[in-house]
Amino acid sequence: MIDHDPDGDVILIERWFRHNPPTNDDHALGTRRRLQAIESEKLREKAVAAFDEANEVRIQREAQKAAEKAAKAAGNSKSVSQMLGDTSRLMGTRIVRGANDTLSTPCRDPAHTLCRGTFTPCDTLSTHQDQDLRPRPRP
């Protein structure tokens, strides 16, 4: 449980690192630096061995958490078709299909009776781009 060096004033609590492992890389680096400063060679070797064991467990645990986080993130990135389903009516809309890049606003030209109020592009796109896009009252 406890080991000591009779020549110096140094004691070693043998299971210290099992119950108090380093929490991150900086903590591990600082702890290793302090362990190297122990004067008793016997206690230093035992402490470094116990520390290396605890640090390896920490590294494996962090790697496992990172892998779980990456797997979770990869599982959450679903496409629109996976989220809505292929049979959804939304999948057939122009916005979801990505075909809405030719005309971003509905046609409001009263002369265009077929495309008025829809996102359907018509033959006279130039008039659509120059038209007043303020909302108009319904008749």
Side-chain angles (χ1 to χ4, degrees):
M1 191 97 180
I2 294 178
D3 198 359
H4 73 285
D5 183 12
D7 296 335
D9 294 332
V10 180
I11 62 169
L12 172 69
I13 301 173
E14 293 180 353
R15 296 185 197 159
W16 177 263
F17 293 115
R18 184 178 298 166
H19 300 288
N20 300 295
T23 56
N24 57 45
D25 291 334
D26 290 337
H27 186 195
L29 183 65
T31 303
R32 181 172 297 283
R33 196 175 303 133
R34 299 285 280 186
L35 291 176
Q36 295 302 328
I38 296 175
E39 295 174 5
S40 171
E41 187 173 333
K42 177 182 103 173
L43 294 181
R44 181 175 55 242
E45 288 175 3
K46 287 178 84 173
V48 167
F51 171 77
D52 287 342
E53 183 180 325
N55 195 37
E56 184 62 33
V57 170
R58 175 192 66 87
I59 291 170
Q60 290 174 357
R61 186 174 49 244
E62 286 180 357
Q64 182 180 2
K65 283 182 182 179
E68 289 173 358
K69 186 176 180 179
K72 185 178 179 181
N76 287 343
S77 60
K78 296 179 181 178
S79 68
V80 174
S81 64
Q82 289 173 329
M83 289 190 292
L84 297 177
D86 293 331
T87 59
S88 173
R89 288 183 14 202
L90 290 174
M91 291 306 298
T93 63
R94 294 177 55 83
I95 294 173
V96 173
R97 287 192 332 248
N100 197 29
D101 55 359
T102 58
L103 185 64
S104 60
T105 58
C107 176
R108 292 194 181 137
D109 191 343
H112 301 146
T113 56
L114 294 176
C115 63
R116 184 167 185 209
T118 67
F119 286 95
T120 307
C122 64
D123 295 337
T124 57
L125 279 177
S126 61
T127 61
H128 292 254
Q129 294 170 353
D130 298 332
Q131 67 182 330
D132 181 17
L133 298 178
R134 288 177 289 175
R136 295 184 184 181
R138 292 188 177 203

